[in-house]
Amino acid sequence: MKLIGGFVLLALLGSLSSCSTPTSRGRSAGEDYCECNRKEGIFNVGKCKKDVLMEHRDELLNEEFQTAFWNAVADCDE
C-alpha cells in the first residue's frame, strides 16, 4: 500500500512541475528582479539583480523565458 502511495505522490509532483512553463518561470524571475529595487543602497540593488540573472542564466537563453522575463521587468516600473 505504501508503494502505491509513493507512486501517487511521485505522479502528483511530476504533474505540478510540468505546469511550470518557460513563460511562467520567466515572469516569476522578472518579478524577483523587480523586488531588488526595494533593497537599501545601490550596491545591494545591483547585487540582488546580478544574483537573479546568475540564477537564471541558462534559462535566459530560452527566447520564451527571456521575453516573459523582460516583459515582467518592464511592468515593474508601472
Side-chain angles (χ1 to χ4, degrees):
M1 201 59 168
K2 288 183 182 180
L3 185 61
I4 293 172
F7 283 126
V8 170
L9 181 60
L10 187 60
L12 178 63
L13 290 175
S15 68
L16 288 175
S17 68
S18 67
C19 293
S20 181
T21 65
T23 299
S24 65
R25 289 190 314 272
R27 190 176 316 112
S28 176
E31 291 167 359
D32 291 345
Y33 188 89
C34 290
E35 286 297 314
C36 293
N37 293 333
R38 298 176 188 253
K39 299 281 185 181
E40 283 291 320
I42 193 163
F43 293 113
N44 291 331
V45 171
K47 182 184 179 321
C48 179
K49 289 181 176 187
K50 176 188 168 216
D51 290 346
V52 171
L53 292 173
M54 291 299 292
E55 180 181 344
H56 299 285
R57 68 179 174 256
D58 294 333
E59 290 178 297
L60 281 163
L61 297 174
N62 177 298
E63 190 173 324
E64 186 180 344
F65 180 94
Q66 189 180 118
T67 299
F69 177 86
W70 290 117
N71 285 339
V73 170
D75 289 344
C76 75
D77 292 334
E78 296 177 355

